[in-house]
Every structure is written in C-alpha cells, then in structure tokens.
Amino acid sequence: ILHSKSLTGTFVTDSYRGKTKAKKKIWSKWADFTKRQQTLITSAEYLLQASKTGNSEDLETAFEALTDNCSGCHRRYKQIF
C-alpha cells in the first residue's frame, strides 16, 4: 500500500528524460494516470483486507484486481523495450 501511495511523486515533469521506461504521455494524460494510481491504492487495501479473512476466493479476487490494475497502467504508460 505504501508503494502504491508513493508512485505519483516519482513522476515529475520531464522525468521521461534519461534512463526510464515511462512513456511521455503520462504527463499529457496525468488525470488518467493519477486516477489509476488511486485505483491501485484501493486494490492494494482490498487485498490486505482479503488476506485477513482467510477466504481464498476473496483473496484470489483481490489479487486479480490488483494485478489487473498494475498491468493496465503498465500497458498504457510503460515502454516495454
């Protein structure tokens, strides 16, 4: 959860320069990017709560939601090569 909450601060204006895999469109789509970060935080919190229930179905659902959020953002905003 802490990592999720700290992500926005790591993307400062023009930080796509130098060694990075961040796509430039992060800054032109900043509202979407930060909305996705908020969804990631919510998903991480849900996973934490699900881990405390002992219910494997809840845990699996929460884990899938978290990984879907991660990969969705990476597909849009991270260069693969």
Side-chain angles (χ1 to χ4, degrees), residues 33-59:
F33 183 74
T34 56
K35 180 181 174 187
R36 288 173 180 278
Q37 181 198 14
Q38 291 303 314
T39 302
L40 177 66
I41 293 167
T42 301
S43 295
E45 290 170 341
Y46 176 53
L47 178 60
L48 177 62
Q49 294 305 314
S51 72
K52 294 177 181 179
T53 68
N55 183 315
S56 62
E57 288 180 17
D58 288 347
L59 187 58

Side-chain angles (χ1 to χ4, degrees), residues 15-21:
S15 66
Y16 59 84
R17 295 181 180 159
K19 188 174 183 175
T20 182
K21 292 186 178 184

